[in-house]
Amino acid sequence: MLEEIQKAADFIRAFETPLPTVGIILGTGLGGLVRELGIEVSIPYETIPHFPLSTVESHSGKLILGTLASQPVIVMQGRFHFYEGYSMQQVTFPVRVMKQLGVKTLLISNACGGLNPDFQVSDLMIIEDHISLLLPQNPFTGRHHPEFGDRFPDMSEPYDQELIRKAEVIAQKLGFPVRKGVYVGVTGPQLETRAEYRMLRQWGADVVGMSTVPEVMVAHQMGLNVFACSVVTDLCIPETLEKASLPKILAAAAVAEPRLTALMKELVGQL
């Protein structure tokens, strides 16, 4: 894997753009941040050595190098999921490439289902902690490379507390509310049953989604500072559950997107 990471990183470096210090992963329906970028180059995933391909309809599949709030950034416009048939090593491969390129901070967004009855559609939730149900695979299993970090990484605090504090202050300054809570990562692609939603809430989860956790785990192992924010695109309250659909999810994400974009841009500017 080390050789594959190096080849991908060398390919990206060949574009001779400023090396990024900030990495950003954009979730379902949350690509609006791209409009705020000073784009140097946009690279289709299929041209990058050993990169997976994004197969999800709402993920465009481009790696963008440029600037945001005067900071050099690398942005994934579309991510990879375990349910697409990729291994956890493939899902997290881009994060390891980002580290190789010099990224020190990783910002992640996602669309999710709201389990907390106090949440509303299009709410933003800063992730404070997570529960991983992405079994049976784990990005840390298999051969260990010391270059990646600890063999047994501590996950007691995978989300950077200072970045969370800054994000809360930024949201207050910009005049919109943000929630905080626990994200539970599941394999998908099916949505959960009423009984499963009830169980996940009893376990302490505020939102549920099919991404983010593997990238956070790998980024934390490699020493990156991590911040993640979810957009609640549907409500998963068993007693009032309605059928979800991709058009509804994308519409809910579009409502929240300006707030998330402003939050991310301001946060990058303070790094």
Side-chain angles (χ1 to χ4, degrees):
M1 182 184 287
L2 288 174
E3 183 178 347
E4 293 175 351
I5 292 168
Q6 189 61 56
K7 285 183 178 179
D10 288 345
F11 177 86
I12 295 165
R13 284 195 194 96
F15 286 91
E16 297 184 349
T17 62
L19 291 179
T21 56
V22 180
I24 302 173
I25 301 175
L26 298 176
T28 298
L30 301 173
L33 185 69
V34 173
R35 293 190 290 270
E36 300 293 324
L37 299 175
I39 298 176
E40 299 278 346
V41 64
S42 179
I43 312 170
Y45 289 160
E46 61 264 27
T47 66
I48 305 172
H50 307 292
F51 240 66
L53 302 180
S54 184
T55 68
V56 180
E57 177 184 335
S58 56
H59 291 247
S60 64
K62 295 178 182 177
L63 191 68
I64 300 173
L65 294 163
T67 57
L68 179 66
S70 301
Q71 295 271 19
V73 298
I74 183 168
V75 179
M76 287 183 67
Q77 193 176 18
R79 57 147 57 85
F80 311 113
H81 306 82
F82 182 64
Y83 66 74
E84 295 176 77
Y86 293 120
S87 69
M88 283 300 182
Q89 284 71 28
Q90 289 174 302
V91 168
T92 57
F93 181 83
V95 177
R96 299 201 186 279
V97 173
M98 288 182 184
K99 171 66 175 181
Q100 185 69 23
L101 291 170
V103 166
K104 295 179 172 58
T105 301
L106 181 64
L107 309 183
I108 301 175
S109 69
N110 64 59
C112 68
L115 297 166
N116 190 320
D118 293 331
F119 289 4
Q120 300 296 323
V121 170
S122 300
D123 277 354
L124 300 185
M125 190 200 82
I126 296 170
I127 303 178
E128 292 185 294
D129 206 346
H130 68 237
I131 300 168
S132 178
L133 297 181
L134 291 157
L135 302 174
Q137 289 205 12
N138 181 312
F140 299 148
T141 58
R143 180 184 176 188
H144 175 64
H145 300 281
E147 294 88 345
F148 291 167
D150 292 340
R151 180 51 162 143
F152 305 100
D154 183 279
M155 285 289 149
S156 60
E157 198 170 276
Y159 301 90
D160 188 89
Q161 294 300 306
E162 180 63 15
L163 291 177
I164 290 174
R165 186 194 66 78
K166 286 183 177 180
E168 290 184 280
V169 172
I170 290 168
Q172 185 176 30
K173 183 183 77 171
L174 295 177
F176 57 79
V178 290
R179 311 281 192 170
K180 291 195 297 182
V182 176
Y183 178 100
V184 57
V186 296
T187 59
Q190 82 284 355
L191 302 185
E192 286 66 42
T193 66
R194 294 174 189 270
E196 288 167 338
Y197 285 138
R198 192 174 294 111
M199 175 192 71
L200 295 174
R201 180 61 190 142
Q202 288 174 347
W203 284 3
D206 294 288
V207 298
V208 56
M210 304 172 192
S211 66
T212 301
V213 172
E215 295 110 316
V216 170
M217 290 169 63
V218 164
H220 186 66
Q221 181 195 34
M222 300 184 77
L224 302 185
N225 299 317
V226 179
F227 173 83
C229 189
S230 295
V231 173
V232 178
T233 53
D234 58 299
L235 298 180
C236 306
I237 311 303
E239 294 75 19
T240 57
L241 191 63
E242 297 180 1
K243 287 187 177 181
S245 68
L246 185 57
K248 287 183 179 179
I249 288 171
L250 295 178
V255 171
E257 190 177 63
R259 284 173 282 143
L260 180 62
T261 295
L263 177 64
M264 291 286 201
K265 182 178 179 180
E266 184 72 19
L267 186 58
V268 169
Q270 293 189 20
L271 297 176

